[in-house]
Amino acid sequence: QSCFDLFPKERLVYLTPDSGHELEYNDEDIYIIGGLVDKPAVPKASLSVAREKGIRYAKLPMKRILG
């Protein structure tokens, strides 16, 4: 089964590098790592999946963490 079928949609957060929103961690949320599947030939693939499924999405705050 898909994670979209196993968990309540309101608890899912799709992590995508194309989001305009930085992640604000919540230990109640379930995070899906989507950016690892993006390929150069299909830009913003993980963002498209999150929007299609109607779930929240965010990007990791790499610039803030790494400086």
Side-chain angles (χ1 to χ4, degrees):
Q1 285 185 323
S2 165
C3 62
F4 303 109
D5 300 322
L6 292 172
F7 302 104
K9 184 169 34 172
E10 56 275 354
R11 289 191 54 207
L12 296 175
V13 179
Y14 211 100
L15 299 176
T16 172
D18 299 309
S19 174
H21 313 283
E22 284 193 350
L23 173 68
E24 293 183 26
Y25 180 76
N26 179 339
D27 62 359
E28 299 289 320
D29 288 335
I30 299 166
Y31 297 97
I32 303 165
I33 301 173
L36 298 177
V37 300
D38 285 356
K39 297 182 173 106
V42 185
K44 300 185 181 183
S46 56
L47 180 60
S48 296
V49 171
R51 287 180 173 163
E52 175 186 306
K53 299 292 184 182
I55 63 171
R56 293 175 292 152
Y57 49 87
K59 66 180 174 183
L60 295 173
M62 300 306 290
K63 289 182 182 178
R64 184 167 33 114
I65 292 171
L66 298 175

